[in-house]
Amino acid sequence: METLNFTFEAERPVARRAHVGVVGSGDLEVLLEPASGATTTVCVRTSVDGYGAIWRKVLERFHARHRCAARIEINDFGATPGVVALRLEQAVEASQA
């Protein structure tokens, strides 16, 4: 089990809290909530060690599109980068609904 933490500069807070996905074989959950200030913090708890650089790239790509101020928790059980990107997009969409 590995815990990774990332911080990004942000422009605007997300509208509301969101929870998408489930922790299960090959999947993950994303918990997103508004953050005060101009930063996004991401805490990733993953069952797969040694993929910090890949997590960083996926999160950088996501943040380049959204630049939202949020606290994000990701609980991963071996999801692929594509699933990670999908769940993050779902969380942002759910926070706007």
Side-chain angles (χ1 to χ4, degrees), residues 35-53:
S36 58
T39 61
T40 295
T41 58
V42 183
C43 177
V44 178
R45 291 177 193 88
T46 179
S47 63
V48 184
D49 294 342
Y51 284 85

Side-chain angles (χ1 to χ4, degrees), residues 7-91:
T7 302
F8 302 96
E9 292 182 18
E11 295 174 357
R12 65 197 172 288
V14 294
R16 64 183 60 83
R17 300 175 86 168
H19 174 226
V20 296
V22 296
V23 180
S25 181
D27 208 345
L28 79 157
E29 72 176 345
V30 174
L31 297 99
L32 179 140
E33 63 183 55
S36 58
T39 61
T40 295
T41 58
V42 183
C43 177
V44 178
R45 291 177 193 88
T46 179
S47 63
V48 184
D49 294 342
Y51 284 85
I54 292 172
W55 277 103
R56 176 171 295 286
K57 288 295 183 189
V58 170
L59 293 169
E60 285 173 348
R61 193 171 302 137
F62 165 77
H63 196 68
R65 278 193 306 275
H66 294 286
R67 307 221 19 105
C68 55
R71 284 188 301 275
I72 302 172
E73 290 184 41
I74 299 174
N75 297 305
D76 172 53
F77 198 71
T80 64
V83 171
V84 173
L86 173 67
R87 291 285 182 246
L88 286 166
E89 293 293 333
Q90 287 175 324

